[in-house]
Amino acid sequence: MYCSQLVFFAVLLTTHSVLSQKFDEIKEACNKEIGFDGDIETLHYNDPAFPKEAKCALACALDKKGVFKADGSIDREKEKAIPEEIIKDDELKKKYHKAIDECDASAKANKCETAYEFVKCLKNKVM
């Protein structure tokens, strides 16, 4: 069973233990860039104390994957490419694709909040 992010993408960060090398590199670079020294894979997205740095690390990873549109919203089609790279199980891919279509992809106050709210929704729908 897969367990771990952040396509997240971030849901991919938190729901799969087998991540691509490229994703691990992005995650590491974003954690360093943002100054987040925790493990995004172990955080609880429904916790009201979810760290701001973790939200911004999610946004950084999504940004590096090109998932944000110019207006700050999530590009659902680009987000759908992420599970294709990482998830092997076809049924799980279908769940992610359905969740991507159902979750609010609109821009929030900033990219950190947009990424967090989107990934939290994905995680809640897929789990």
Side-chain angles (χ1 to χ4, degrees):
M1 178 74 186
Y2 298 100
C3 67
S4 99
Q5 73 322 133
L6 347 191
V7 244
F8 27 250
F9 193 82
V11 169
L12 297 179
L13 291 173
T14 61
T15 60
H16 303 291
S17 60
V18 180
L19 301 175
S20 69
Q21 182 61 32
K22 186 175 181 181
F23 179 76
D24 283 340
E25 291 170 3
I26 289 172
K27 184 175 77 167
E28 185 178 322
C30 285
N31 284 354
K32 186 175 182 177
E33 184 178 318
I34 300 300
F36 178 63
D37 62 358
D39 184 359
I40 195 95
E41 297 173 30
T42 63
L43 296 176
H44 301 284
Y45 283 75
N46 292 319
D47 182 350
F50 195 90
K52 180 182 179 196
E53 294 83 6
K55 292 177 182 181
C56 292
L58 287 172
C60 174
L62 289 176
D63 212 13
K64 288 186 184 301
K65 291 297 279 182
V67 173
F68 281 107
K69 292 181 181 178
D71 68 358
S73 65
I74 301 289
D75 184 326
R76 292 179 198 274
E77 292 309 308
K78 288 184 179 177
E79 177 67 24
K80 286 181 180 179
I82 294 169
E84 295 300 322
E85 293 176 23
I86 298 171
I87 302 172
K88 306 258 188 276
D89 182 272
D90 287 335
E91 284 303 311
L92 189 56
K93 279 183 199 177
K94 287 179 188 176
K95 285 182 180 181
Y96 272 105
H97 287 279
K98 184 176 186 222
I100 289 166
D101 287 335
E102 293 175 353
C103 289
D104 179 10
S106 64
K108 308 295 184 251
N110 57 55
K111 284 184 175 182
C112 300
E113 287 301 319
T114 302
Y116 168 69
E117 290 296 330
F118 187 73
V119 172
K120 179 173 124 179
C121 177
L122 291 176
K123 182 174 175 55
N124 288 332
K125 287 188 176 287
V126 172
M127 300 309 283

